[in-house]
Amino acid sequence: MPTTDSHRHEYLKPDGRKLWLYGRQPFQVGEIPSPDSVPVTAHPYLRWHPLRGEWVIYAAHRQNRTFLPPPDYNPLAPTREGGVPTELPQGGYDIAVFENRFPSLVPHPGEPPRLEGVVTAPGEGACEVVVFTQDPEASLGSLPIEHVALLIDVWADRTRELGRRDEITYVLPFENRGVEVGVTLHHPHGQIYAYSSLPPIQVRALEHARAHFARTGENLGLTLVNDEIAAGTRIVRENEAALSFVPPFARYTYETWLMPKRPVAFLSDLSPEERLGVAELLKDTLQRLDALFGVRMPYLMTLHQAPTDGTDYPEWPLRFEFYPALRAPGKLKFLAGTELGAGVFANDALPEDKARELREVQL
Amino acid sequence: MPTTDSHRHEYLKPDGRKLWLYGRQPFQVGEIPSPDSVPVTAHPYLRWHPLRGEWVIYAAHRQNRTFLPPPDYNPLAPTREGGVPTELPQGGYDIAVFENRFPSLVPHPGEPPRLEGVVTAPGEGACEVVVFTQDPEASLGSLPIEHVALLIDVWADRTRELGRRDEITYVLPFENRGVEVGVTLHHPHGQIYAYSSLPPIQVRALEHARAHFARTGENLGLTLVNDEIAAGTRIVRENEAALSFVPPFARYTYETWLMPKRPVAFLSDLSPEERLGVAELLKDTLQRLDALFGVRMPYLMTLHQAPTDGTDYPEWPLRFEFYPALRAPGKLKFLAGTELGAGVFANDALPEDKARELREVQL
């Protein structure tokens, strides 16, 4: 663990999956449960898309979900005394991480099928679920700053552990929230995908960050943060350690980025003070998005750290990117022809106007 | 016009926009209307996304829609005698195309604003609306094959006219259908976006198609079609001129591609027989998607022709790509963390299984 004021224990679930519990205080737990004792047998594999130059994951086992949950069953809540087993035990922990029972990528996928005319590869990697809190009614933005800071430790810890594996090249923590964006499980949680090759979006980000670094000698993140502080018009909030802003090239109406002021490649590179500063703005960003229209804003949050191949990435701009799904009250942003067919986003709103709205939200 | 058996007339709308009407028979029309006589003043511009290496379009004028339509107003239906003016006149035409009143890209965008630290460019290009039929209750798949063949002529004609402009590098016709994917206007219609620079998805497609051509001496589309015919397992339907299939690297559950068997760069390169064959499979694909679950399948259809910079593209694989939004009855596919944060699609279903389902649909 990166900090001395938090606690972590590792467990094995009855079906063979791993579970990690984290607490701000020392804690004890009850029996370690699993919704199903049948071991996970997943053999995902990849097929190459020859016109996009991308791997596509095939995880057909995800359809074969044998376990039929009772109504109101919450697999992410602690198992109740005498109740149907969930994913988590009772106990005094704050945050839980476990290997996904329906993974798209796994540590030992086996050989992929051979297909005439199609390039295949093993679906090597990892998929984990991160439960943000034991409280099913909470949200990431409603948690105390110290709890959010612990989550930053958890992401740092899982990134370090997964990234240490030879076959893992990139670790992506994210949260997808809201029925509007397809989330059916409302207990506050996120996911972590770990990939065996650098994903396309990260390949391009690295290429552009590297070119900027070569040209200017400066980390692109530092340039962005300094430019935004100088311009002032797109800042949502600033503290000593971090900055949240609507990027000048926002693709989503209320797109918000959160960056530490000192460029780092990984969350684990943050000092305890910086970690708290980032946690404060993470909470602030989500509170503003919820307060903006007075409804829980559906969103995708992705955390972009550097590749985990063991080399240094002084050019990498660590950032959280938030893509809020609403562009106005009750109006969702849909990706259509120009976005999905050409890769060109069209935004009807100016980042400067939307940053002002977010800045002026009453919290 | 590419064929001698169709008819086209060009008109100027009261607000200065152009309108083109197409018919299989000679036709006459009434007064040319426009919902609003105020000329379109749009100054869209682009900002550069430094980490994705993409332009983002800003079209803030799209929010300033002055015209307040009456209830049940359909701007794509012919204007009724004495009724509120729509976009289209009365008359005997089959298909209409007009310049979008709220364009994301325009022929003369003017100078973009200068922004400190942000690279901007004019929003040069064109946005057109294509009305597939006068019948508001029809759908593209319900139209007669000869009507769909006329639409192929219309796309070919607009691509040629737009592509002839020096500043246009790429022309993308598409249809986005269904409330589930954000379409509020139910009259059968599509759109055309014309770009001044080759969009990112097309840049990569060209790069990969070119590499394949250099390596094998064969158009990648021809390789795909031949491989799919040889494999047989992913074919949806085949005729003399064309093939529809679930691509072996499908990203969406029921993703379907439609390709002519003879590789061409543009629809205008098709012979009249090939054009009819493509029209037949286009109609067939949409009928199958609608019959699959017994509901109107929401989808995005994009047409990928070659760049329009005047050079030859023997390596370009012309294709229609259909992205159906449902992955099961009542279940939408949402793009989440791995798709939007990493560019890696995860598909729970195998293309071979979904092709069989589509093949076995009773029409």
Side-chain angles (χ1 to χ4, degrees):
Chain A
M1 288 294 300
T3 58
T4 52
D5 60 343
S6 60
H7 304 266
R8 182 189 97 160
H9 299 293
E10 179 176 314
Y11 309 88
L12 203 63
K13 285 168 156 288
D15 60 4
R17 288 177 296 138
K18 283 187 180 166
L19 166 71
W20 300 269
L21 300 178
Y22 300 78
R24 281 177 288 158
Q25 307 295 331
F27 60 86
Q28 293 197 309
V29 298
E31 200 181 336
I32 302 299
S34 186
D36 199 333
S37 60
V38 178
V40 171
T41 51
H43 302 289
Y45 68 98
L46 314 177
R47 299 186 185 190
W48 183 250
H49 192 307
L51 269 162
R52 298 180 62 93
E54 291 172 4
W55 290 108
V56 179
I57 301 172
Y58 290 87
H61 59 274
R62 283 169 55 94
Q63 291 188 322
N64 306 324
R65 306 188 178 197
T66 52
F67 174 71
L68 291 174
D72 295 329
Y73 172 76
N74 175 1
L76 305 186
T79 303
R80 276 192 302 258
E81 199 74 46
V84 178
T86 68
E87 290 283 10
L88 296 178
Q90 299 207 332
Y93 59 90
D94 293 307
I95 294 173
V97 181
F98 56 84
E99 294 179 302
N100 198 320
R101 218 151 64 86
F102 304 101
S104 295
L105 299 166
V106 297
H108 307 289
E111 280 301 303
R114 287 173 179 237
L115 289 167
E116 195 63 43
V118 185
V119 181
T120 60
E124 201 168 30
C127 286
E128 297 180 350
V129 176
V130 182
V131 182
F132 296 156
T133 166
Q134 291 195 21
D135 179 3
E137 304 302 325
S139 69
L140 182 44
S142 77
L143 298 173
I145 289 176
E146 293 70 25
H147 194 128
V148 179
L150 176 66
L151 179 58
I152 290 178
D153 278 353
V154 169
W155 284 325
D157 188 52
R158 293 311 309 147
T159 301
R160 202 183 311 99
E161 276 218 359
L162 288 163
R164 199 179 282 147
R165 294 191 201 160
D166 282 346
E167 74 276 16
I168 302 291
T169 301
Y170 196 76
V171 179
L172 179 78
F174 64 88
E175 183 195 4
N176 198 32
R177 194 190 74 169
V179 285
E180 300 89 340
V181 291
V183 182
T184 48
L185 201 52
H186 301 303
H187 194 114
H189 73 288
Q191 296 186 56
I192 297 174
Y193 268 51
Y195 304 92
S196 60
S197 64
L198 197 60
I201 289 174
Q202 282 71 21
V203 165
R204 292 194 279 281
L206 180 58
E207 179 190 322
H208 292 287
R210 198 162 265 175
H212 180 86
F213 195 75
R215 198 168 59 243
T216 66
E218 191 170 83
N219 179 294
L220 178 54
L222 183 61
T223 306
L224 270 174
V225 164
N226 285 341
D227 282 356
E228 289 311 305
I229 290 173
T233 50
R234 290 172 295 266
I235 294 176
V236 175
R237 196 171 163 93
E238 182 182 359
N239 62 24
E240 286 213 359
L243 186 77
S244 60
F245 59 99
V246 178
F249 40 80
R251 297 177 300 148
Y252 299 89
T253 309
Y254 291 96
E255 181 169 345
T256 304
W257 286 24
L258 165 54
M259 301 184 86
K261 288 185 176 174
R262 182 175 67 88
V264 296
F266 294 99
L267 287 181
S268 55
D269 297 331
L270 294 173
S271 73
E273 293 72 31
E274 289 173 324
R275 185 173 56 98
L276 265 180
V278 168
E280 192 205 340
L281 291 205
L282 182 48
K283 178 180 168 68
D284 179 83
T285 301
L286 296 179
Q287 285 189 311
R288 282 175 196 279
L289 290 175
D290 279 359
L292 183 66
F293 303 139
V295 298
R296 282 202 172 197
M297 174 67 86
Y299 64 83
L300 172 65
M301 172 186 74
T302 49
L303 166 59
H304 296 257
Q305 299 176 94
T308 58
D309 57 0
T311 56
D312 282 342
Y313 286 95
E315 71 274 46
W316 187 268
L318 182 145
R319 65 210 179 271
F320 290 88
E321 298 187 10
F322 301 85
Y323 307 156
L326 294 175
R327 55 185 175 80
K331 288 193 178 167
L332 286 166
K333 162 76 176 176
F334 290 95
L335 304 189
T338 187
E339 287 90 0
L340 295 176
V344 181
F345 275 64
N347 190 340
D348 290 357
L350 292 179
E352 295 73 22
D353 296 336
K354 297 299 143 177
R356 190 188 322 110
E357 286 179 37
L358 287 171
R359 210 163 44 227
E360 291 174 357
V361 160
Q362 297 297 321
L363 293 182
Chain B
M1 286 296 298
T3 57
T4 52
D5 61 345
S6 60
H7 305 266
R8 183 190 95 158
H9 300 292
E10 180 176 313
Y11 309 88
L12 203 62
K13 284 168 158 287
D15 60 4
R17 289 177 296 138
K18 284 187 178 166
L19 166 72
W20 300 269
L21 299 178
Y22 300 80
R24 282 176 289 160
Q25 307 295 332
F27 60 87
Q28 293 197 310
V29 298
E31 200 181 336
I32 302 299
S34 186
D36 199 333
S37 59
V38 178
V40 171
T41 51
H43 303 289
Y45 67 97
L46 314 177
R47 299 185 185 191
W48 182 250
H49 192 307
L51 269 162
R52 298 179 61 94
E54 292 172 5
W55 290 109
V56 179
I57 301 172
Y58 290 88
H61 58 275
R62 282 169 57 95
Q63 290 187 325
N64 307 323
R65 307 188 176 196
T66 52
F67 174 72
L68 290 174
D72 296 330
Y73 173 77
N74 176 0
L76 305 186
T79 303
R80 277 192 302 257
E81 199 76 47
V84 178
T86 68
E87 290 283 10
L88 296 176
Q90 299 207 334
Y93 58 92
D94 292 307
I95 293 174
V97 180
F98 57 85
E99 295 179 302
N100 197 321
R101 218 152 61 86
F102 303 101
S104 296
L105 299 166
V106 296
H108 305 291
E111 279 302 301
R114 288 175 178 234
L115 288 167
E116 194 64 41
V118 185
V119 181
T120 60
E124 200 167 30
C127 285
E128 297 180 349
V129 176
V130 183
V131 182
F132 296 156
T133 167
Q134 291 195 21
D135 179 2
E137 304 300 326
S139 68
L140 182 45
S142 78
L143 299 173
I145 289 175
E146 293 71 23
H147 194 128
V148 178
L150 176 66
L151 179 57
I152 290 177
D153 278 353
V154 170
W155 284 325
D157 188 50
R158 294 311 307 146
T159 301
R160 203 184 309 96
E161 277 218 359
L162 288 164
R164 200 179 281 146
R165 294 192 200 161
D166 283 345
E167 75 277 17
I168 301 290
T169 302
Y170 196 76
V171 179
L172 179 78
F174 63 89
E175 183 195 6
N176 198 31
R177 193 189 74 167
V179 284
E180 300 90 339
V181 291
V183 182
T184 49
L185 201 52
H186 302 303
H187 194 114
H189 74 288
Q191 297 184 57
I192 297 174
Y193 268 51
Y195 303 92
S196 60
S197 65
L198 197 61
I201 288 174
Q202 281 71 22
V203 166
R204 291 194 279 279
L206 180 58
E207 178 190 322
H208 291 287
R210 198 162 265 174
H212 179 86
F213 195 76
R215 198 169 58 242
T216 66
E218 190 170 83
N219 179 294
L220 179 54
L222 183 61
T223 306
L224 269 174
V225 164
N226 285 341
D227 282 356
E228 289 311 305
I229 290 173
T233 50
R234 289 172 294 266
I235 295 176
V236 175
R237 196 171 163 93
E238 181 181 359
N239 63 24
E240 285 212 1
L243 186 76
S244 59
F245 59 99
V246 178
F249 39 81
R251 296 178 300 149
Y252 299 88
T253 309
Y254 292 96
E255 181 170 344
T256 304
W257 286 24
L258 165 54
M259 301 184 86
K261 287 184 176 175
R262 182 174 67 87
V264 296
F266 293 99
L267 287 181
S268 55
D269 298 331
L270 294 174
S271 73
E273 294 72 29
E274 288 172 324
R275 187 171 55 97
L276 265 180
V278 169
E280 192 205 340
L281 291 205
L282 182 49
K283 178 179 167 70
D284 179 83
T285 300
L286 295 179
Q287 285 189 311
R288 283 175 196 279
L289 290 176
D290 279 358
L292 183 66
F293 303 137
V295 297
R296 283 202 172 194
M297 174 67 87
Y299 64 81
L300 173 66
M301 172 186 75
T302 49
L303 166 59
H304 296 257
Q305 299 176 95
T308 59
D309 57 0
T311 55
D312 281 343
Y313 286 95
E315 72 273 45
W316 187 270
L318 182 144
R319 65 210 180 271
F320 289 89
E321 299 187 11
F322 300 84
Y323 307 156
L326 293 175
R327 54 186 176 81
K331 287 191 178 169
L332 286 166
K333 163 77 177 174
F334 290 94
L335 304 188
T338 187
E339 287 90 1
L340 295 177
V344 180
F345 274 64
N347 190 340
D348 291 356
L350 292 179
E352 294 73 23
D353 296 337
K354 297 299 142 177
R356 191 188 322 112
E357 287 180 36
L358 287 170
R359 208 161 48 227
E360 292 174 355
V361 160
Q362 298 297 320
L363 293 181

